[in-house]
Amino acid sequence: MKNILHIISSPRGDASFSIKLGNAIIEKIETANPGSIVRTTNLNDSILPHLSASHLASFFTPEDQQTSDNKETARASEEAIADLKWADVIVVGVPVYNFGIPSALKAWVDHIARAGKTFNYSASGAEGLLKNKKVYVALASGAVFSEGPMQAYDFASPYLKSVLGFLGITDVETYRVEGTAIPDLAENALEKGIDSITV
Ligand SMILES: Cc1cc2nc3c(=O)[nH]c(=O)nc-3n(C[C@H](O)[C@H](O)[C@H](O)COP(=O)(O)O)c2cc1C
């Protein structure tokens, strides 16, 4: 059995391709690992706001010196990190927005990437503290970024791979529903994405 964490960042609910693709990945993992448990975090529920001055004050105050306000401010971040530590497998749903990731997902990254919690700096450089985890990125885009003329604009997946790798999660695989804005490709884009899953 696996502990599976599904991070949703599309606000489009049942219409979302990244959510459908993420669900298809999870179904396959569950089939291969009976008894798996799925936790879902929908970032559109505004649980993780953009970082404010009070978040930074809280994150950079040693725990034994934190006020109760500091602790309350950091609570959502602590919970997001606890979910990550709990998970064996993390499925990150990503609609491509303006060549990057949605701001709700960037806010999640800002809340989980914390010195002393998910990475450390030492004399030999940075060390990620999240080990032995697998990430599947379920990416949806109007254009095609995996090949062809737009490949040079494929920023979302490499960015997530880099930042998660920095936190110690080096096993990151991306699946795509792409070309949903291109008439000849749109019709089969979801089916093609789901068929490509090899978990
Ligand atoms: C605000 C916004 C920005 C977008 N920017 C891009 C983009 O830069 N490149 C692209 O290929 N598609 C872009 N799209 C299209 C989405 O990536 C596409 O509709 C995708 O299916 C959305 O994911 P979802 O179905 O999971 O919501 C954009 C859509 C929106 C709403």
Side-chain angles (χ1 to χ4, degrees):
M1 65 153 282
K2 300 278 185 195
N3 289 342
I4 305 166
L5 178 64
H6 191 184
I7 302 294
I8 288 173
S9 62
S10 170
R12 297 200 317 123
D14 290 345
S16 160
F17 292 116
S18 60
I19 296 175
K20 286 179 182 155
L21 185 62
N23 286 337
I25 294 168
I26 289 169
E27 268 176 37
K28 296 208 177 188
I29 300 168
E30 285 180 303
T31 303
N33 301 277
S36 290
I37 300 166
V38 182
R39 263 186 212 173
T40 301
T41 299
N42 189 328
L43 300 173
N44 295 288
D45 295 342
S46 300
I47 37 176
L48 297 171
H50 293 174
L51 294 186
S52 63
S54 54
H55 287 106
L56 301 183
S58 170
F59 291 176
F60 291 99
T61 301
E63 250 167 60
D64 59 351
Q65 293 167 37
Q66 282 186 339
T67 63
S68 53
D69 274 359
N70 287 152
K71 287 189 204 304
E72 182 54 28
T73 302
R75 196 163 52 84
S77 161
E78 299 286 349
E79 285 171 5
I81 290 170
D83 280 347
L84 272 180
K85 289 185 173 166
W86 166 86
D88 305 303
V89 181
I90 302 127
V91 177
V92 183
V94 188
V96 171
Y97 279 3
N98 301 311
F99 301 105
I101 63 174
S103 57
L105 185 59
K106 178 58 167 58
W108 175 75
V109 170
D110 291 341
H111 281 269
I112 61 160
R114 287 180 55 192
K117 298 270 179 190
T118 51
F119 69 92
N120 266 334
Y121 282 118
S122 70
S124 54
E127 190 205 357
L129 301 177
L130 299 172
K131 306 283 189 199
N132 303 316
K133 297 181 188 302
K134 169 97 189 182
V135 167
Y136 295 99
V137 173
L139 192 122
S141 59
V144 172
F145 293 105
S146 64
E147 59 182 10
M150 297 298 284
Q151 199 174 19
Y153 298 86
D154 187 33
F155 304 123
S157 166
Y159 167 69
L160 285 169
K161 211 171 170 165
S162 299
V163 74
L164 292 168
F166 180 76
L167 303 181
I169 306 175
T170 50
D171 191 355
V172 180
E173 208 170 326
T174 297
Y175 291 108
R176 299 170 190 258
V177 173
E178 56 182 354
T180 58
I182 299 172
D184 284 354
L185 302 179
E187 200 182 330
N188 296 321
L190 177 62
E191 194 184 340
K192 200 175 160 199
I194 290 175
D195 284 351
S196 73
I197 300 168
T198 57
V199 302

